[in-house]
């Protein structure tokens, strides 16, 4: 019998991908209005140039270990405790300017002033556009009181808290919230799963991990000996070496699945 359910946050409960896509589109349309750059071309360019510039920052390895992606680098404040986070706080404004500058150059539009504006416009648009899957609250309402609920999310504590503050209804459902930036390393490292279990007193055999990411949520659960449910909304191809115990296409499918377990 499942007594504890561990949920991932981004793109499992919160629709982070849509938030990023919306903010990017609005920012690129703003650039098009300002100086005539093609919004679609700029959006394609910033996706590649952000990743490239992010990989060149001196905090890249740390950010990767915590699970902070390039688009979070484009808007997060990272005002968290610890030298590495303070380095991120100091370095990210320059990273944002570089990413947008390089994206504009890629589409033959060298405009330093516009890059500066875009580096500030995107964070504002991202904060204005939080999205939650419509079934999130229905599922959490059903599970609250029936199971112990844990939120296990990769990222900077301040950034993940910002996301939860934008959708304040989510956090109260959870008995325990674990953020990789607080712990020191992110999923799929086994230690963060084991830490989450110590915070709840749960046994592995009575615990279920629910997440959208095979490389973090499912791989980590597998390594930790915890049953896993892959929320595969986009019908992605299976991985050769990472297999979830269960696969669902919609979060609401979790409810009948639990009744069978």
């Amino acid at each position: 019998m499942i007594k504890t359910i561990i949920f991932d946050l981004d793109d499992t409960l919160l629709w982070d991908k849509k938030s990023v896509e919306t903010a990017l589109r609005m920012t690129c349309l703003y650039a098009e209005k300002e100086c005539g750059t093609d919004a679609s071309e700029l959006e394609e360019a910033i996706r590649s140039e952000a990743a490239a510039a992010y990989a060149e920052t001196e905090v890249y390895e740390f950010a990767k270990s915590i699970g902070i992606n390039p688009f979070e680098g484009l808007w997060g404040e990272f005002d968290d405790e610890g030298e590495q986070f303070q380095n991120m706080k100091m370095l990210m404004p320059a990273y944002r300017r570089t990413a947008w500058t390089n994206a504009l150059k890629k589409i033959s539009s060298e405009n330093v002033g516009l890059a500066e504006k875009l580096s500030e416009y995107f964070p504002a648009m991202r904060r204005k556009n939080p999205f939650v899957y419509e079934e999130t609250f229905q599922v959490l309402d059903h599970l609250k009181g029936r199971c112990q609920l844990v939120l296990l999310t990769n990222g900077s504590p301040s950034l993940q808290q910002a996301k939860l503050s934008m959708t304040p209804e989510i956090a109260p459902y959870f008995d325990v919230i674990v953020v990789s930036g607080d712990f020191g390393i992110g999923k799929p490292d086994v230690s963060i799963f084991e830490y989450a279990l110590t915070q709840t007193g749960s046994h592995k055999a009575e615990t279920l991990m629910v997440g959208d990411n095979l490389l973090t949520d499912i791989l980590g659960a597998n390594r930790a000996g915890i049953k896993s449910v892959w929320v595969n909304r986009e019908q992605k191809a299976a991985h050769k070496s990472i297999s979830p115990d269960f696969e669902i296409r919609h979060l609401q499918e979790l409810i009948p699945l639990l009744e069978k377990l």
Side-chain angles (χ1 to χ4, degrees), residues 148-222:
Q148 185 171 214
L149 300 181
V150 178
L151 190 62
L152 178 57
T153 176
N154 278 357
S156 147
S158 62
L159 186 60
Q160 297 309 95
Q161 183 54 54
K163 294 176 185 178
L164 290 172
S165 296
M166 292 173 199
T167 314
E169 303 91 344
I170 287 182
Y173 284 99
F174 291 91
D175 303 287
V176 174
I177 297 176
V178 178
V179 181
S180 66
D182 280 325
F183 179 70
I185 194 165
K187 299 173 288 185
D189 196 272
V190 172
S191 62
I192 195 169
F193 288 86
E194 293 176 340
Y195 174 75
L197 292 177
T198 65
Q199 297 303 295
T200 62
S202 306
H203 297 292
K204 293 180 180 181
E206 299 172 337
T207 302
L208 192 67
M209 174 74 212
V210 180
D212 72 294
N213 195 316
L214 283 173
L215 297 175
T216 56
D217 305 316
I218 306 307
L219 178 59
N222 288 354

Side-chain angles (χ1 to χ4, degrees), residues 193 217-228 241-245:
F193 288 86
D217 305 316
I218 306 307
L219 178 59
N222 288 354
R223 289 174 172 174
I226 297 170
K227 289 185 179 69
S228 61
S241 60
I242 305 171
S243 299
D245 292 285

Side-chain angles (χ1 to χ4, degrees), residues 49-260:
E49 294 304 319
Y54 196 60
E56 293 297 318
T57 65
E58 64 183 68
V59 292
Y60 174 67
E61 291 301 326
F62 167 73
K64 189 167 67 169
S65 74
I66 297 298
I68 303 168
N69 68 51
F71 296 109
E72 291 173 322
L74 283 179
W75 73 281
E77 296 294 337
F78 306 107
D79 193 8
D80 300 290
E81 293 183 3
E83 182 179 350
Q84 294 277 40
F85 277 124
Q86 289 303 304
N87 283 343
M88 284 196 74
K89 178 184 177 182
M90 179 179 66
L91 294 171
M92 287 299 101
Y95 152 69
R96 292 170 194 147
R97 289 191 296 270
T98 297
W100 285 106
T101 296
N102 291 349
L104 287 167
K105 286 181 180 178
K106 191 170 186 177
I107 62 170
S108 302
S109 178
E110 295 192 32
N111 188 326
V112 176
L114 179 60
E116 180 78 34
K117 288 181 180 178
L118 300 182
S119 73
E120 297 174 356
Y121 196 85
F122 175 77
M125 292 303 99
R126 175 59 185 84
R127 291 186 179 92
K128 286 183 178 180
N129 288 282
F131 291 97
V132 183
Y133 293 104
E134 63 181 32
E135 70 269 22
T136 289
F137 295 116
Q138 298 167 8
V139 172
L140 293 177
D141 279 334
H142 178 84
L143 296 176
K144 184 66 174 176
R146 289 181 167 89
C147 299
Q148 185 171 214
L149 300 181
V150 178
L151 190 62
L152 178 57
T153 176
N154 278 357
S156 147
S158 62
L159 186 60
Q160 297 309 95
Q161 183 54 54
K163 294 176 185 178
L164 290 172
S165 296
M166 292 173 199
T167 314
E169 303 91 344
I170 287 182
Y173 284 99
F174 291 91
D175 303 287
V176 174
I177 297 176
V178 178
V179 181
S180 66
D182 280 325
F183 179 70
I185 194 165
K187 299 173 288 185
D189 196 272
V190 172
S191 62
I192 195 169
F193 288 86
E194 293 176 340
Y195 174 75
L197 292 177
T198 65
Q199 297 303 295
T200 62
S202 306
H203 297 292
K204 293 180 180 181
E206 299 172 337
T207 302
L208 192 67
M209 174 74 212
V210 180
D212 72 294
N213 195 316
L214 283 173
L215 297 175
T216 56
D217 305 316
I218 306 307
L219 178 59
N222 288 354
R223 289 174 172 174
I226 297 170
K227 289 185 179 69
S228 61
V229 178
W230 181 28
V231 187
N232 186 13
R233 291 185 175 93
E234 297 180 357
Q235 300 186 33
K236 296 177 181 177
H239 195 281
K240 291 181 180 178
S241 60
I242 305 171
S243 299
D245 292 285
F246 307 98
E247 178 180 340
I248 59 178
R249 299 287 170 87
H250 193 283
L251 199 61
Q252 280 187 323
E253 294 175 39
L254 181 63
I255 294 173
L257 173 62
L258 286 168
E259 292 173 355
K260 294 177 183 179

